[in-house]
Amino acid sequence: MSLSASDLRQSVRALLNQPMNSILIVLVLALGMAGVIAMLSIIKSMVGDPLPYANAETVVNIGWRDRSNPDDTEINGLSGNHFLEWERQIAGKAKVAGAGMGTINITDKGTAERYNGAFVTQKLFSLLGVAPVLGRDFTAEDDAPGAPLTVIISHNTWRQRFGSDPGVVGEAIRANAQPATIIGVMPENFNFPQREDIWMAARIEPGTADAEDRYLEVFAQPATGANASALAESLESWMVDKQATDPTRWKQAEIGWQTMGRMYANGETLLLLNLMLATCVLVLLVACANAANLMLARTLASSRDLALRLTLGASRWRVSMLLLAQSLALTLVAVALAIPLAQFGIDSVLTGFSGSDDGPPPWMDFSIDVKMVLFAGGVAIITALFVGMLPVMRLRTDKLSSALRDGGRSVAGGGLGKLSRFLVVGELAMACIVLLATVVMVRGVDRIGQFDLGIEPANLLTARVALFPEAYPTDADTLAFTDRLTAKLRESPEVVDATAATTLPGLMASDESMLPEGFEVGEAGPPRTRQGSVDPSFAATYGVELRSGRFFESRDTATSAPVIVIDQVFADQIFPKEDPIGRRVKIPADGEGSRWHTVIGVTETLQLEDVGDEVMPVSLTALTQHPARFVSIAVRTRGEPGAFKTQFLSTLRQIDADTPAYWLRTYDEVIANSMAGERVLSSMFSAFGSIALLLAAAGLYGLIAQLVGQRTREIGVQRALGASSVDVLGGLLKSTFWQIALGLVIGIGVAVPFAEMVASAANFLETGVEFSAIAMLAGTLLIVAAAATLLPARRALAVDPLVALRHE
């Protein structure tokens, strides 16, 4: 039996007759569904959607894994020399290409600018199935060692820097201080492998130091009839040979591969995304339970009308369909509202990554497409059935007939009341799970944000510069550049001090092995240190406290004995209960470039890598003894550091107009940029937790409001017989205490392991979920429960007992 037009009109009128109830159901479901739709859209965009390359399904990322760490699934690339060996070894079995990410400085018409770039072998774009929209691709001649330098630019670079000039192909520019020619423009939204905008021919010359230093991600397309596993097996002999000739480097290595899509969503990312989706589903379940409670309240309010329909001959099926139609109508309206809310949430997430070096590649499309709209419709139908079936299941003719005789009062209790109570228990339990995960995540981000780096970050401005061999062929040339730049910056009356270093505390440093003199290396290998090369002004500029010994001075030159300054963690772990001054440490522990260094000073504890990373021993070497082509310049200003940016760039142009600065940021901006991902996670979980708490409070309030409405006459009798307000409130609280207690017990029992999984996936978990977090959660929910109980009870107590006794 189907619904008639009259039935549909009656359903709509029924919804409009209780507008507040209808609006609440729509809002509750919209909030719950918006989170699920947003998370599914993000997961689909990062994992489900195919990469926008014609050959993306057949190309794999191949390299090697470190099997000493089972949790590390990262595929590592190869040096240029090793890439050429692989290319020869699998010739005929696969088409192979490489891409090495790096800085590319472009200069034309006197203006220098730094870009994210990649040094690529000539087969890369054809391997992906992508061709330039203007000009041509790289050829074997372009990629030959010593060939004239050729460059391909992104569509965005072509539009922004070259004004979409079709004559840009063939234009002469300078790339990394070398003469170069633009030969092509890539399609719009093509940025590969990550956010690159400029591509240069790699031109790897076998056996050279440059080829050894060049680091390439390797991509392969197996020949027809072959697969990636067989391709990996064909490289096993190469790995066996390396393990025999260089066991220190390759002992724990194995050949590995992954699909292209897994480059952008590794195992840790997928786990975190799925846990966040599970959190959203919990919020949706809380919303559904809440909406079901509201529908039960609607059924209670209309029980006399439903009884009259049945008495006049309407079938139970027809009445059930009317209730389901109301539920479906409300749910579809909720979906219509949930879709823009979900898109707003996605846009907010992407905005959180704006200006950050992290975040998804620009070509990923996070808009909600037709498939997601259809999915949302399916969710709506399932939700409508869940929300609508509960009151339908209670459509018993004897109960409704009793409601007709008693004016609707008898239906208020019994099974409907018990069902509402169990729904509230479920709401509170699921809200506990979401809220504890939220508390752990927010606390983790706050803890990271307050982490002591061992420096004074106020009034610091930093920038990165890249010095290339064509302009600065020797170490002496690079050192002369940094000396001239920092000296020129110090001349400004706005500058307190300036320094040059390879490290940027709280953001970047190298990870080196070390061998303290007299140390016996075990199976785990030599200890490791976070290492940076710095000039003598580093400590003064960054405000680093020296605990003992001295810092670097002008006497520490390229020809003097190598020296290092270590931090307190290094001293405590490597030289416990000893004076480290004068002790020797070999860095790196072995291999080319390994040298003994004498400890000359100890600083306070420093954190050179990301603020959320494990605190490791830190060693600082003299920049004069370990020169580098990529250095960070830091300036301590007397005033607001951001106001000095223009003068910094002007000073740099005076020293070298072809060398641009990039990552020009105050230190507050440096830390904010490095924590962008963590802050986005914290914001998302805060939103989930707030919605869950709001829904749980609303559900509990609705239950108490129903209970008070049902017991208005009883309260009136109690008051008329002399019961105090405290007695009445105590009775109401007692009647709801078990739901609150049971919901908390069940919820916390499940919430603790779930919160540990979430925090561990986000690398926030250190010693487990703290008891204070559980206590905060329980206290918050108890306060909310008390407020939700007292507000409707207060209204009931305000009613005159004589009026309550006449209440229908």
Side-chain angles (χ1 to χ4, degrees):
M1 182 180 294
S2 60
L3 287 171
S4 66
S6 175
D7 292 329
L8 294 174
R9 285 194 298 270
Q10 291 178 38
S11 296
V12 172
R13 280 200 301 270
L15 297 178
L16 296 177
N17 285 337
Q18 300 182 52
M20 289 306 300
N21 181 280
S22 300
I23 291 172
L24 281 174
I25 293 174
V26 167
L27 290 177
V28 161
L29 291 177
L31 288 171
M33 285 190 282
V36 173
I37 294 170
M39 280 308 306
L40 283 174
S41 296
I42 291 173
I43 293 173
K44 183 182 75 71
S45 300
M46 295 189 68
V47 182
D49 288 347
L51 273 62
Y53 315 127
N55 299 334
E57 298 299 319
T58 58
V59 175
V60 296
N61 172 218
I62 192 166
W64 61 275
R65 288 193 184 98
D66 182 3
R67 63 187 177 193
S68 65
N69 183 3
D71 296 329
D72 184 5
T73 59
E74 180 180 359
I75 300 295
N76 298 288
L78 302 171
S79 70
N81 285 321
H82 291 154
F83 169 81
L84 295 176
E85 293 173 7
W86 277 32
E87 193 175 38
R88 288 192 296 270
Q89 177 132 350
I90 58 179
K93 300 176 183 176
K95 187 177 179 180
V96 186
M101 284 73 82
T103 285
I104 297 180
N105 294 337
I106 295 295
T107 307
D108 69 308
K109 302 174 183 177
T111 304
E113 189 172 356
R114 182 262 183 187
Y115 291 89
N116 289 327
F119 304 87
V120 305
T121 61
Q122 58 98 8
K123 295 179 182 178
L124 179 68
F125 295 150
S126 61
L127 185 75
L128 298 174
V130 182
V133 292
L134 284 178
R136 63 176 178 83
D137 198 351
F138 293 117
T139 64
E141 290 73 22
D142 295 319
D143 201 23
L149 183 59
T150 51
V151 168
I152 295 177
I153 63 176
S154 71
H155 198 278
N156 189 54
T157 304
W158 175 57
R159 184 177 63 252
Q160 291 187 354
R161 186 174 180 91
F162 297 97
S164 301
D165 179 10
V168 72
V169 174
E171 183 170 328
I173 59 172
R174 292 180 65 79
N176 289 351
Q178 303 176 66
T181 303
I182 297 175
I183 63 170
V185 177
M186 294 305 288
E188 191 168 5
N189 293 327
F190 180 85
N191 304 86
F192 186 86
Q194 294 287 343
R195 296 184 169 201
E196 285 64 40
D197 280 307
I198 307 286
W199 297 269
M200 293 172 57
R203 305 180 304 167
I204 302 171
E205 186 171 355
T208 64
D210 181 65
E212 186 60 35
D213 293 339
R214 180 84 70 199
Y215 180 88
L216 300 175
E217 296 283 349
V218 184
F219 303 93
Q221 184 180 40
T224 304
N227 57 47
S229 297
L231 191 62
E233 289 175 5
S234 68
L235 291 166
E236 288 295 340
S237 60
W238 180 91
M239 182 60 73
V240 170
D241 178 64
K242 292 300 177 186
Q243 289 171 341
T245 57
D246 190 1
T248 302
R249 181 176 181 181
W250 297 102
K251 181 179 179 181
Q252 298 296 327
E254 64 180 2
I255 303 296
W257 64 273
Q258 63 186 358
T259 62
M260 292 272 286
R262 289 302 296 271
M263 291 178 60
Y264 306 100
N266 58 25
E268 290 184 358
T269 302
L270 283 175
L271 174 60
L272 188 56
L273 288 173
N274 286 325
L275 288 172
M276 291 174 71
L277 176 61
T279 305
C280 290
V281 171
L282 286 172
V283 174
L284 177 58
L285 290 176
V286 173
C288 287
N290 208 316
N293 244 338
L294 290 169
M295 285 295 292
L296 284 172
R298 176 187 292 277
T299 302
L300 288 174
S302 59
S303 57
R304 189 172 184 179
D305 178 67
L306 295 176
L308 183 60
R309 281 174 169 272
L310 291 171
T311 302
L312 295 176
S315 68
R316 188 169 181 270
W317 171 262
R318 172 66 61 87
V319 174
S320 299
M321 288 299 99
L322 284 172
L323 292 177
L324 287 174
Q326 293 178 23
S327 174
L328 181 60
L330 292 171
T331 310
L332 289 175
V333 174
V335 169
L337 182 59
I339 290 174
L341 282 175
Q343 188 62 60
F344 173 78
I346 293 171
D347 293 341
S348 298
V349 170
L350 297 179
T351 300
F353 283 112
S354 61
S356 166
D357 299 320
D358 298 321
W363 45 260
M364 284 190 178
D365 181 14
F366 289 93
S367 59
I368 298 175
D369 57 16
V370 175
K371 291 181 181 178
M372 198 51 60
V373 173
L374 293 176
F375 171 80
V379 171
I381 294 172
I382 295 172
T383 304
L385 290 173
F386 175 81
V387 172
M389 282 301 294
L390 293 178
V392 167
M393 291 167 60
R394 305 303 305 169
L395 276 179
R396 290 171 49 188
T397 305
D398 56 336
K399 289 284 186 181
L400 292 172
S401 298
S402 176
L404 185 60
R405 292 192 303 270
D406 297 338
R409 292 188 300 271
S410 63
V411 187
L416 287 174
K418 292 178 182 178
L419 186 55
S420 290
R421 289 176 171 83
F422 280 112
L423 286 174
V424 169
V425 170
E427 283 185 60
L428 287 172
M430 290 182 286
C432 275
I433 300 170
V434 177
L435 285 169
L436 189 59
T438 300
V439 170
V440 170
M441 291 291 288
V442 172
R443 281 190 165 190
V445 173
D446 287 343
R447 187 181 296 115
I448 291 173
Q450 297 169 9
F451 193 90
D452 184 6
L453 301 176
I455 66 170
E456 177 50 59
N459 297 95
L460 278 178
L461 179 68
T462 69
R464 191 85 168 162
V465 294
L467 307 174
F468 295 97
E470 289 71 21
Y472 300 92
T474 68
D475 290 340
D477 293 326
T478 62
L479 290 171
F481 170 87
T482 55
D483 286 344
R484 288 198 307 273
L485 178 57
T486 53
K488 187 70 174 176
L489 289 167
R490 291 189 198 102
E491 292 176 4
S492 171
E494 300 174 46
V495 173
V496 177
D497 212 337
T499 185
T502 59
T503 182
L504 195 60
L507 187 66
M508 67 173 69
S510 63
D511 183 356
E512 296 284 359
S513 62
M514 61 174 171
L515 182 63
E517 194 170 22
F519 186 89
E520 293 187 7
V521 179
E523 289 189 7
R528 305 196 70 82
T529 175
R530 298 287 193 201
Q531 190 267 329
S533 297
V534 306
D535 70 9
S537 298
F538 180 86
T541 303
Y542 279 103
V544 176
E545 179 186 340
L546 192 66
R547 296 283 177 84
S548 63
R550 69 174 179 88
F551 206 71
F552 302 113
E553 299 172 353
S554 57
R555 56 175 152 159
D556 302 312
T557 66
T559 57
S560 62
V563 292
I564 60 169
V565 173
I566 63 176
D567 78 336
Q568 193 63 52
V569 173
F570 193 119
D572 292 342
Q573 292 186 10
I574 306 302
F575 304 112
K577 301 180 181 179
E578 297 181 46
D579 182 3
I581 304 298
R583 298 295 300 270
R584 295 203 308 162
V585 180
K586 185 185 286 186
I587 299 176
D590 54 21
E592 187 178 352
S594 177
R595 290 189 289 175
W596 286 101
H597 296 71
T598 301
V599 178
I600 60 171
V602 179
T603 72
E604 61 185 321
T605 299
L606 294 173
Q607 175 70 336
L608 296 189
E609 263 292 343
D610 289 344
V611 289
D613 284 0
E614 175 189 2
V615 176
M616 290 178 58
V618 166
S619 60
L620 303 176
T621 56
L623 191 61
T624 52
Q625 298 175 345
H626 292 264
R629 296 193 175 278
F630 290 82
V631 291
S632 292
I633 308 297
V635 180
R636 181 169 293 281
T637 62
R638 302 186 192 279
E640 167 57 39
F644 191 72
K645 289 182 179 180
T646 301
Q647 187 171 340
F648 181 96
L649 295 174
S650 175
T651 303
L652 178 59
R653 282 194 295 270
Q654 294 175 39
I655 302 296
D656 184 352
D658 284 340
T659 298
Y662 56 101
W663 298 343
L664 181 61
R665 299 164 179 158
T666 67
Y667 228 82
D668 288 341
E669 292 170 341
V670 169
I671 299 303
N673 182 280
S674 69
M675 292 184 62
E678 287 85 353
R679 294 198 186 282
V680 168
L681 282 176
S682 176
S683 298
M684 292 178 71
F685 272 92
S686 295
F688 300 155
S690 299
I691 293 171
L693 183 62
L694 179 65
L695 294 178
L700 193 57
Y701 177 88
L703 172 65
I704 302 302
Q706 285 185 49
L707 184 62
V708 169
Q710 295 164 15
R711 298 178 61 182
T712 301
R713 297 179 68 201
E714 179 187 337
I715 292 172
V717 171
Q718 291 177 348
R719 295 294 304 280
L721 294 176
S724 67
S725 297
V726 174
D727 294 333
V728 175
L729 282 175
L732 289 172
L733 289 171
K734 183 178 179 181
S735 65
T736 58
F737 174 78
W738 75 266
Q739 293 113 359
I740 298 170
L742 185 59
L744 285 173
V745 170
I746 295 173
I748 291 174
V750 179
V752 171
F754 182 79
E756 289 182 344
M757 288 176 62
V758 171
S760 179
N763 296 319
F764 288 167
L765 195 62
E766 295 178 354
T767 58
V769 177
E770 299 171 353
F771 175 78
S772 59
I774 299 174
M776 180 189 297
L777 167 66
T780 300
L781 285 176
L782 285 173
I783 291 172
V784 168
T789 301
L790 293 175
L791 287 175
R794 184 167 174 247
R795 287 201 303 270
L797 291 173
V799 177
D800 184 276
L802 294 177
V803 175
L805 290 172
R806 293 197 302 269
H807 178 72
E808 281 291 332

